[in-house]
């Protein structure tokens, strides 16, 4: 048990013993600790989640365990939305020159772009429709 957690628990115990701790606050603290990464309650919650997803249960449990371990090392962070957009645009720059503008148009959205699907469903599909002018019909032979 870390010093911070130990001192927090000791302070909570002293306040509870003195009758100054509000019951709702102790419940909220217990709930927050149960939701913290690496706790047994959180592990049980993640196992229950793995029963309701469209993924191999063993793979789901493996990923949940790896995420829990990484969270224990404070290694799980989220990038800013701007960083995600920059990464997506960098992937567009790796496309052949003829496809690059279409890739960027799909990411930026707009009236001609539709988005459907989900990560849980297997992926997000972005489609941009670009109307082309009609080509003159070739003369019949």
């Amino acid at each position: 048990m870390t010093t911070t957690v130990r001192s927090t628990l000791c302070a909570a115990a002293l306040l509870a013993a003195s009758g100054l701790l509000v019951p709702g606050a102790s419940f909220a603290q217990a709930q927050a600790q149960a939701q913290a990464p690496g706790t047994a309650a959180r592990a049980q919650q993640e196992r229950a989640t793995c029963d309701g997803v469209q993924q191999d249960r063993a793979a789901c449990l493996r990923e949940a365990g790896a995420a829990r371990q990484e969270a224990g090392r404070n290694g799980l962070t989220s990038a800013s939305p701007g960083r995600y957009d920059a990464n997506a645009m960098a992937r567009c720059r790796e496309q052949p020159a003829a496809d690059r503008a279409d890739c960027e148009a799909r990411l930026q959205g707009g009236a001609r772009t539709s988005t459907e699907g989900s990560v849980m469903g297997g992926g997000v599909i972005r489609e941009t429709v670009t109307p082309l002018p009609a080509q003159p019909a070739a003369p019949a032979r």
Side-chain angles (χ1 to χ4, degrees), residues 20-36:
L20 297 176
L21 186 64
V22 178
S26 63
F27 176 74
Q29 182 182 11
Q31 233 180 351
Q33 287 176 346
Q35 295 300 317

Side-chain angles (χ1 to χ4, degrees), residues 39-50:
T39 63
R42 178 66 181 245
Q44 184 177 5
Q45 183 182 29
E46 289 170 355
R47 280 192 297 276
T49 299
C50 285

Side-chain angles (χ1 to χ4, degrees), residues 3-111:
T3 305
T4 306
V5 172
R6 188 177 299 129
S7 61
T8 302
L9 291 175
C10 289
L14 287 173
L15 286 173
S18 67
L20 297 176
L21 186 64
V22 178
S26 63
F27 176 74
Q29 182 182 11
Q31 233 180 351
Q33 287 176 346
Q35 295 300 317
T39 63
R42 178 66 181 245
Q44 184 177 5
Q45 183 182 29
E46 289 170 355
R47 280 192 297 276
T49 299
C50 285
D51 290 335
V53 296
Q54 297 175 350
Q55 180 183 17
D56 176 55
R57 188 170 194 279
C60 180
L61 293 173
R62 220 177 12 257
E63 289 177 16
R68 204 170 34 257
Q69 183 179 17
E70 193 63 23
R73 293 189 294 224
N74 293 325
L76 290 182
T77 59
S78 293
S80 67
R83 183 70 183 146
Y84 289 127
D85 293 341
N87 285 340
M89 292 302 263
R91 288 191 299 276
C92 284
R93 286 192 296 273
E94 298 298 319
Q95 298 297 315
D99 298 332
R100 198 170 297 140
D102 290 336
C103 178
E104 291 173 358
R106 278 190 297 277
L107 291 175
Q108 293 168 350

